[in-house]
Amino acid sequence: MRVAMNGGTQRSRGRVLIGKPGLDGHTRGAKFIAKALADHGYEVIYTGIRRTPAEIATAAVQEDVDVVGLSLLSGAHNTLFPQVLAELRKLGAADVPVIAGGVIPQADIPGLLTAGITAVFTPGAPIEQILAAFDEACTRRRKMS
Amino acid sequence: MSDPVPSSIEWGTLTTRRLGQLMTAIEEQRPEAADVVAALQRQTWPGLTVGVTGPPGSGKSTLISALVRELRRRRERVGVVAVDPSSDRTGGAFLGDRLRMMEHATDADVLVRSIATRGHGGGVAPAVSDLARLLRAAGYAWVLIETVGAGQVETDVVARADVTLLVQAPGLGDEIQALKKGILEVADLVVVNKSDQPGAVELRRQLETWAASPERVLATCATSGEGIAELLQAIDARRPERASETSRLRARREEVRGLALAILRDRLDASLRDADVTRGTTWEAAERLVASLRFEP
Amino acid sequence: MNTNEDFRRWENEILRPFLAQAPERAEQFATGSGLELPRLAVPAEPTAAYSRDLGFPGEFPFTRGITPTMYRGRLWTFRQYAGFSTATEANRRYRYLLEQGTTGLSVAFDLPTQLGLDSSDPMSAGEVGRVGVAIDTLADMERLFAGIPLDRVSTSMTINATAPILLAMYAVVAERQGVPIARIRGTLQNDILKEYIARGTYIFPPAPSLRLVSDVIAWCAREAPDFNPISISGYHIREAGSTAVQEVAFTLGNAIAYIERALAAGQRLEDFGPKLSFFFCVTSDVLEEVAKFRAARRLYARIIRDRFRCDHARCQMLRFHTQTAGHTLTAQQPDVNIVRVTLQALAAVLGGTQSLHTNARDEALALPTEAAAALALRTQQVLAYESGLAQTVDPLGGSFLIEQLTDEIERQAAALIAEIDGRGGMGPAVADGWVQSRIEEAAYRHQCQIESGERQIVGVNCAVAPETATPPVFAVDPAVEARQQHQLAETLAARDAAAVRESLARLDVVAAGRENVMPALLDAVRRQATVGEICAVLRGRFGVHQPSV
């Protein structure tokens, strides 16, 4: 079967998963980012609230996304973000970059970056910066593979 | 996807990670997937592919989630492919069906994959068929495919399944009228979901009239689980191996026809870009265009 | 009757009897330079529209305020939402706030408590004591209120899915202090519909959840008449990105749903109506916000009178708490947040709020530090004692612009409620995600306006300054989780396990039937059953809600 891919429609930039680990139910930020990414040309899979790190990692692997985005406002980021990374490793997906956002104190950011989070955004970060981070992470990963 | 695909693939031992990557390669029709697709198409894999379509608000995702629950109770492994439209302008898509299936999120025997209709130029239906083959080869004996029954692309997708369900629900108004023409013909079973809501009985009666044979129409309430076991039974009864030789041949012919159309549409689009459409009437231009298509492989 | 006659009637029939019961704070009120401030400025030229749409404070349609004297009689309550980590630490913070002049307590619970999970549950990992205090058993609740006499404070509890359990614990703590349950005062948020819409801390499906709400309303009306059994909240709807009109319409839409549910359970609006309270958000959009509060009061009064055919003034009165809008705070130049909060508080006071929480400047960064929380309270005190706003009723009433905006918000909100009615009410409109989608659209529009620069935010897309040193932020001690789990283990070891089992079995029977759950809950918490154990029983009976959007 050889059907060319560009039947006049635009290809997507890549696939991303937006996950909300932890227990907080504040979806405004996560949904805005998800919609903005879709408008920017990504296929976006949204997990909904209260997902465990294992659920997020499993979904990311089944969907074979290029980037995982995490949003958390409850303050449990130091516990849960590294857990998502660990679950991804367990599934052989350590190469999938993870970008995080939420109410995260500046003091916690270096630790999260060291743990393997690609980028961390706090409230008020301009959307262009966030989209650029996804673009960069996605491009880098696609080049690697 | 960097690893070359081995000539003989141990389908049953593929990790979720590898399956996920293979699905991407198939979906994007990457050159390295060609051998995989060829291998997948060479045989019929055990299992059953069920297409589920219906208008927004009919509760398809919730119905699929309930079907998965019932299948898991029977210890079946299940794959779900959820197809959502993508934007022609940006190529992006918001794929939200997975959200309603999260109760199976960490069940190792349930694999959910979201697919956007983008960039396939009529090729999404063949891609989804191949994804279903891959899942069945990997041991997911039941594959459920979900689409929003809006356009031709979506209808093409589910029409290729072994069994096709059309989901309806009371209170959706004119949607039924719109769907009546196309999809009702390809649907093997018509499901009246949300059967606990007002208007369900009338809707069922109406659909029974349209569907020619009333036994094709079933009622479910996905949120309470009512009618789900009966629905599975009805699906089971329509397995292709139970079907006659002629209807199997018809299904095969239907699939080849779909693939051929996809190829044609793609070549047509390509030729149309360079065609001179200004000369003569539009009818003449169209005839010239068809005549100009090259048919060598 | 012209306005002047009407004014005299109001003075005689409404104001005088009220003053006899509740005198004003001073004999005379004046500006700083000594100009006399009237209680209520009214138009010199009487019109029929004035009487119909504005009227006088303390009577239908309550546009100008719910009492005839408003803040001249009693200032709004300074109610700061707080509560951290463990009960012991939160207790220390409450005592500090009470010493600083807070007049009402407000308890924030951590997410495991809000979702019916014990601190030892794997799902609670990293969340214990984060956004509020962790409560597993009655023992925690006793530590939380140690040394705080519950007949002397009013306590607001931000709790929804597990509200009946926490209310039962609060009542038992009072009982053990020797305070009769009938004397407890406060407010329970207990607004489950907005959890499905915006805040996300739901557990059970809508139908059994509404039954729990109704049970609490009925129990309070009977046993704890000074406790507000519900605080119907637009706050989180607005924070999720709704417009001001949507905030009013969806909040009042939810109120209609609760009232209908309670009426269907055989309760009388005259009994529970006066105890329904509300909770709104206030942004920096001062004029729109003032108009919003006035429109909400008038629309609610009209709904109670016309839809529910109820003429009880106390049922028609929309009493509300306000919190400044968290989503408007920025991480950039956080000190600027102090100015935003001041503007927002100003709008809330001009709009006639009954109580107010002012956010701290560092809330976009983390939970507030003690110093930032104190400054937020000072903001309210300046408004109350120095601004002169509390010396007269509805100071902006009669402004051409404010009245026009008030009319428009009421008109649009009423139209939206009619649309909700057409969809079968808030229950179905929430269940199929329609309400959520409307809010998401508004939120997306709002954010796109910020990104494009059409909507200017100081420090974000204009007046941007290079990042300076970040202020100190409040850090929750990571050892809190282990400490709380240890305390839970001690409580579990010390309790009578058989008695707990027995009380949970009884709760199971009650949950399966139609009896009010509160007595069974009181019994279970007295025996130190945990929040998680109680919710496990209820989950078994009610099931778990699966979101669709």
Side-chain angles (χ1 to χ4, degrees), chain C residues 55-131:
Chain C
F56 302 99
E59 68 175 8
F60 189 89
F62 299 101
T63 314
R64 305 201 63 180
I66 61 164
T67 72
T69 59
M70 287 301 287
Y71 305 137
R72 283 162 74 107
R74 201 166 69 86
L75 291 169
W76 65 91
T77 304
F78 310 153
R79 195 188 290 284
Q80 298 297 88
Y81 181 73
F84 297 99
S85 318
T86 61
T88 311
E89 283 150 82
N91 178 265
R92 208 173 303 136
R93 175 69 77 105
Y94 293 154
R95 292 187 193 209
Y96 171 80
L97 286 168
L98 287 169
E99 278 164 27
Q100 295 297 304
T102 281
T103 50
L105 289 181
S106 182
V107 188
F109 296 97
D110 72 355
L111 287 161
T113 306
Q114 297 186 45
L115 290 164
L117 303 167
D118 286 337
S119 299
S120 52
D121 193 294
M123 280 293 285
S124 303
E127 304 276 13
V128 177
R130 281 281 160 199
V131 301

Side-chain angles (χ1 to χ4, degrees), chain C residues 166-189:
Chain C
L166 275 296
L167 173 62
M169 286 183 176
Y170 190 80
V172 173
V173 171
E175 207 175 63
R176 294 197 171 180
Q177 285 185 354
V179 173
I181 289 179
R183 297 268 300 279
I184 58 173
R185 284 185 300 127
T187 303
L188 207 57
Q189 195 161 77

Side-chain angles (χ1 to χ4, degrees), chain C residues 355-367:
Chain C
S355 63
L356 180 62
H357 167 106
T358 33
N359 284 331
R361 64 160 182 253
D362 51 1
E363 269 171 74
L365 305 167
L367 292 169

Side-chain angles (χ1 to χ4, degrees), chain C residues 154-295:
Chain C
S154 96
T155 305
S156 156
M157 291 189 267
T158 301
I159 194 79
N160 295 279
T162 53
I165 306 169
L166 275 296
L167 173 62
M169 286 183 176
Y170 190 80
V172 173
V173 171
E175 207 175 63
R176 294 197 171 180
Q177 285 185 354
V179 173
I181 289 179
R183 297 268 300 279
I184 58 173
R185 284 185 300 127
T187 303
L188 207 57
Q189 195 161 77
N190 198 26
D191 172 9
I192 199 68
L193 285 172
K194 67 91 174 55
E195 295 295 330
Y196 302 115
I197 297 173
R199 191 165 169 274
T201 68
Y202 45 77
I203 304 175
F204 317 114
S209 294
L210 283 171
R211 177 245 177 129
L212 291 178
V213 171
S214 174
D215 281 359
V216 168
I217 291 174
W219 184 82
C220 283
R222 219 171 35 239
E223 309 287 341
D226 291 333
F227 216 91
N228 298 313
I230 189 167
S231 169
I232 305 165
S233 307
Y235 184 80
H236 315 89
I237 292 172
R238 191 69 182 281
E239 281 286 291
S242 83
T243 64
V245 168
Q246 287 173 337
E247 181 188 3
V248 171
F250 295 154
T251 307
L252 299 191
N254 284 343
I256 291 168
Y258 293 127
I259 292 170
E260 284 173 348
R261 180 65 180 73
L263 293 175
Q267 302 184 53
R268 283 157 24 107
L269 187 51
E270 291 72 21
D271 295 335
F272 68 85
K275 301 317 289 179
L276 301 180
S277 65
F278 290 81
F279 172 22
F280 289 108
C281 185
V282 67
T283 71
S284 310
D285 204 338
V286 175
L287 300 173
E288 181 180 81
E289 293 294 6
V290 174
K292 176 187 81 180
F293 294 124
R294 301 171 83 251

Side-chain angles (χ1 to χ4, degrees), chain C residues 6 24 60 92 111 126 158 168 215 239 281 290 306 318 349 354 364 392 429 431 437-438 442 495 499-500 505 543 548:
Chain C
D6 209 10
E24 295 185 336
F60 189 89
R92 208 173 303 136
L111 287 161
T158 301
D215 281 359
E239 281 286 291
C281 185
V290 174
D306 302 337
L318 180 117
V349 170
Q354 274 59 63
T392 181
S437 301
R438 297 288 80 68
R495 67 184 188 174
V500 173
S548 66

